[in-house]
Amino acid sequence: MKLTAIKSKPLRAGDFTLTQFVDEYVKDLPPRSVLAITSKVVALCEGRVVKIGDIPKEELVRREADYYIPGARNRYGVIVTIKDDIFVAAAGVDESNGDGNYVLWPADSQASANELRTHLSKRFGYEVGVIITDSRVISMRRGTLGVGLAHSGFSALNNYIGTPDIFGSHDMQYTYAGVMDGLAAAAVVLMGEGTECTPMVVVEDADFVKFQDRNPTAEELALLHVPVDEDVYADMLKAMPWEKRPGKD
């Protein structure tokens, strides 16, 4: 697998539309490659920003989250949230590299991934994939890891259920390989977390990626998410004192 970071100038809200930004910096995209792009770029291109000081961050996070645990319950004052079926801190709201703004997640990450894949496929004339990425921390580990918010143009999961192990004595019962999140993690570590200005990464020569000349179906997207009751961490998740975003069904 080959990964190549793409450098850009610092981006501010309103500088480009998403397709304009990508066309400005992505001059070549090999066939059957995947373009990973950070959610911050997508959000800035969409104008998904709130000026710091206009609203307390905790109030903004509560508005953006689907479920949250108030920061007062956390030793760091961080609001733990679930947003778009992803367990993440502060609902993705981030002030770094926002030029005096809080930057939110894209309004609809999946729609943005679909739009970008369609645009790039037409522009280059062949199959390509897209991932919108962000960073998060996971429990009992120091350091950020990339996660995929949305994808298009390839299968996000490789299904191993029913296939034998290397000795042929055991068939896999539950195993899916998380292709989208694995590629996102690889891309984000190359993008960096500071002043690198490398918000996109091209992934090539990944033979395990199963490309699709289309957007993911509703069924494929649903398969990505495990209902809380079925989650291996269900007891812990259900025991946490979640509060629901006002107005959420």
Side-chain angles (χ1 to χ4, degrees):
M1 185 169 70
K2 176 183 176 184
L3 290 89
T4 304
I6 298 177
K7 199 166 184 66
S8 75
K9 293 180 180 178
L11 178 68
R12 293 177 174 84
D15 285 352
F16 295 94
T17 67
L18 179 57
T19 54
Q20 285 172 345
F21 179 84
V22 172
D23 287 349
E24 177 74 13
Y25 294 106
V26 179
K27 301 306 181 184
D28 184 41
L29 195 60
R32 300 176 67 79
S33 61
V34 177
L35 179 69
I37 181 169
T38 177
S39 62
K40 185 163 289 182
V41 161
V42 180
L44 288 169
C45 289
E46 294 177 353
R48 289 273 293 161
V49 298
V50 174
K51 185 176 177 58
I52 294 175
D54 282 359
I55 181 174
K57 183 176 180 180
E58 180 148 341
E59 183 179 340
L60 179 61
V61 171
R62 291 183 186 201
R63 193 172 74 187
E64 287 295 307
D66 296 324
Y67 300 92
Y68 64 90
I69 299 173
R73 301 183 68 100
N74 183 291
R75 65 182 294 180
Y76 301 106
V78 175
I79 308 178
V80 176
T81 62
I82 295 174
K83 179 174 174 65
D84 299 341
D85 293 319
I86 297 174
F87 191 42
V88 65
V93 175
D94 186 14
E95 57 263 49
S96 65
N97 298 322
D99 191 32
N101 297 298
Y102 294 119
V103 184
L104 315 181
W105 272 1
D108 185 335
S109 295
Q110 188 58 52
S112 298
N114 293 346
E115 174 194 2
L116 187 54
R117 182 204 65 82
T118 299
H119 173 78
L120 291 171
S121 295
K122 288 180 179 177
R123 177 182 164 195
F124 291 105
Y126 43 71
E127 287 182 344
V128 295
V130 167
I131 308 173
I132 296 176
T133 71
D134 200 3
S135 301
R136 66 171 175 177
V137 294
I138 59 173
S139 60
M140 303 179 73
R141 282 288 186 177
R142 194 179 302 278
T144 59
L145 288 173
V147 62
L149 303 189
H151 78 290
S152 187
F154 64 96
S155 177
L157 298 169
N158 285 348
N159 186 356
Y160 284 84
I161 295 174
T163 62
D165 67 9
I166 58 175
F167 297 106
S169 57
H170 174 77
D171 287 347
M172 305 291 184
Q173 298 181 50
Y174 308 107
T175 304
Y176 287 89
V179 176
M180 174 184 69
D181 285 332
L183 294 179
V188 167
V189 78
L190 187 57
M191 290 174 182
E193 296 289 343
T195 61
E196 291 86 352
C197 282
T198 48
M200 292 181 286
V201 168
V202 177
V203 183
E204 305 172 64
D205 302 331
D207 294 339
F208 55 87
V209 177
K210 299 174 182 177
F211 284 89
Q212 302 167 334
D213 190 18
R214 59 174 175 80
N215 299 326
T217 66
E219 291 77 11
E220 288 167 337
L221 293 175
L223 186 61
L224 272 169
H225 301 288
V226 179
V228 170
D229 286 341
E230 300 174 18
D231 197 287
V232 68
Y233 301 112
D235 289 347
M236 180 188 72
L237 288 170
K238 292 166 73 172
M240 295 174 72
W242 296 109
E243 297 185 28
K244 192 180 294 187
R245 168 172 51 84
K248 180 175 173 59
D249 295 335

